[in-house]
Amino acid sequence: MINIKEFRVDKIILLITIIRRMKLPQYEKNPKFSKIFQVANCFTNHPDLYKTITTDSTLINDLSPILQKDSFQNIYKDALSYKDEIVKRWEKLEPAIRNYYTNILGLRAEKDIIANIVNPQFNTGTNDMKNEIFYAHIYGEKDISYDATYMMHESLHCLFPRTKEWTDEQYSINHSLIELAIDNELRARLGGNNKNYTEGHRDAKKIRNALMPLWVTFLSTKGGISGYNIPNDKTFKKYMNIAQNNNVQNMNFEELMKYSIEHYKEYGLTENTFNLKRKESYGE
């Protein structure tokens, strides 16, 4: 199970997020803070770089006056309050998430995660592909399932990190399957505002649609798919038959991911399906 063993608000991560979101020029132009601004700019693609700041005693000393300012302290206090709300929402939904993880996805792996929380107005979500996620989103105040599904999404990227051997296309398969499993199916089962599998990055929509025969087949022995109208389409049925003949319905999620990464071309995914102009980031 994904075990979020710690929810925390780290002042340095909070400051990085503020700088990245607000692009504060006083830091960008000040040579003393060039390192933190550099990290802030690439934080989405390389969130683990914040650790290079926490080990730089000179930089920490330079940042200390900023961290003590009333304006920053107010943001920090708001983040602490928000973190407490996130913990309550997670704990309320955790039994249902655990059941889905074990009995639907068929996963047994234990993964301890640290959740770094910032302020919801920053609308951020990323991970270090190891054991830390970074999250805040204002939409969670409207939909109790949103926070839990988003944090599970990032946590699965830690459980199934990109390997050096994967092509960009294969990583897109990995990411799109997580969107189907978490952003759509889990969120629907938790009672979230999701209808007919519309959640996910817009530029990955073609990939998700192409993977749907595999996903529908996978869920066919696990209670069926939620909130999705299966097309009465010859091509869709053809790909479902291929999936059934390859025993997809009896796979667990890890097996499905490996199978899809190796065999996606058999399901009609071509170069035209993938939109790889946008650089994939850790946190998506």
Side-chain angles (χ1 to χ4, degrees):
M1 174 57 187
I2 297 296
N3 302 307
I4 301 185
K5 65 177 184 178
E6 182 183 358
F7 292 83
R8 70 185 182 192
V9 178
D10 183 284
K11 289 183 178 180
I12 299 298
I13 293 173
L14 182 56
L15 182 58
I16 290 172
T17 305
I18 294 169
I19 293 172
R20 183 169 69 93
R21 286 300 187 192
M22 300 179 71
K23 300 187 182 300
L24 300 177
Q26 62 264 41
Y27 299 116
E28 184 177 20
K29 296 176 181 178
N30 189 328
K32 281 206 305 185
F33 304 127
S34 60
K35 183 182 289 187
I36 193 169
F37 201 92
Q38 180 186 14
V39 172
N41 278 337
C42 64
F43 186 63
T44 300
N45 288 321
H46 301 283
D48 52 328
L49 289 182
Y50 82 90
K51 294 174 184 176
T52 66
I53 290 177
T54 62
T55 58
D56 188 328
S57 58
T58 301
L59 184 59
I60 293 296
N61 187 61
D62 290 338
L63 291 174
S64 182
I66 302 171
L67 301 179
Q68 298 305 317
K69 284 186 176 182
D70 288 345
S71 55
F72 180 84
Q73 286 297 316
N74 289 336
I75 295 174
Y76 177 63
K77 289 176 182 177
D78 288 343
L80 290 174
S81 297
Y82 174 64
K83 181 205 71 172
D84 292 342
E85 291 299 316
I86 291 287
V87 172
K88 291 177 184 177
R89 294 170 194 167
W90 175 262
E91 289 178 345
K92 182 175 182 179
L93 295 174
E94 188 175 18
I97 294 170
R98 183 177 292 275
N99 177 67
Y100 180 77
Y101 180 88
T102 303
N103 297 322
I104 305 302
L105 297 185
L107 297 175
R108 297 292 184 271
E110 296 286 329
K111 184 72 174 178
D112 289 337
I113 296 291
I114 296 172
N116 296 281
I117 307 299
V118 294
N119 299 61
Q121 65 265 33
F122 295 130
N123 287 351
T124 188
T126 188
N127 63 83
D128 67 355
M129 287 202 174
K130 296 173 186 174
N131 65 345
E132 292 194 40
I133 65 175
F134 307 82
Y135 175 74
H137 206 292
I138 198 166
Y139 198 81
E141 298 174 2
K142 301 178 182 178
D143 181 354
I144 188 175
S145 69
Y146 190 87
D147 295 326
T149 52
Y150 208 129
M151 289 190 292
M152 276 297 293
H153 176 117
E154 300 302 340
S155 297
L156 282 192
H157 277 302
C158 294
L159 184 63
F160 301 114
R162 179 173 185 166
T163 69
K164 293 180 179 179
E165 291 76 23
W166 285 358
T167 64
D168 289 341
E169 288 83 357
Q170 289 173 321
Y171 176 71
S172 295
I173 297 291
N174 164 281
H175 182 253
S176 297
L177 281 171
I178 289 176
E179 286 186 329
L180 292 176
I182 304 301
D183 303 30
N184 289 280
E185 186 65 27
L186 175 60
R187 191 172 173 201
R189 292 183 183 223
L190 294 178
N193 298 327
N194 175 40
K195 295 181 180 179
N196 208 31
Y197 271 68
T198 57
E199 293 298 320
H201 288 127
R202 285 176 292 180
D203 54 5
K205 184 177 180 180
K206 286 184 179 181
I207 305 171
R208 291 194 303 275
N209 288 343
L211 291 172
M212 284 306 295
L214 278 159
W215 184 241
V216 170
T217 303
F218 173 80
L219 289 177
S220 64
T221 57
K222 304 169 181 69
I225 196 166
S226 304
Y228 178 76
N229 297 318
I230 300 175
N232 186 19
D233 176 271
K234 288 183 179 179
T235 302
F236 196 96
K237 290 181 178 179
K238 179 184 79 171
Y239 291 135
M240 278 194 67
N241 287 334
I242 295 174
Q244 289 167 357
N245 291 336
N246 284 279
N247 208 33
V248 167
Q249 63 273 19
N250 293 318
M251 294 179 180
N252 63 36
F253 186 70
E254 183 175 9
E255 292 167 339
L256 173 68
M257 187 172 289
K258 290 179 180 178
Y259 172 80
S260 301
I261 286 172
E262 293 174 2
H263 298 278
Y264 68 87
K265 292 181 180 179
E266 298 171 20
Y267 293 85
L269 280 86
T270 66
E271 288 185 4
N272 292 330
T273 312
F274 297 92
N275 178 8
L276 298 175
K277 293 180 181 179
R278 167 182 165 278
K279 186 176 181 180
E280 292 287 357
S281 68
Y282 278 37
E284 305 182 305

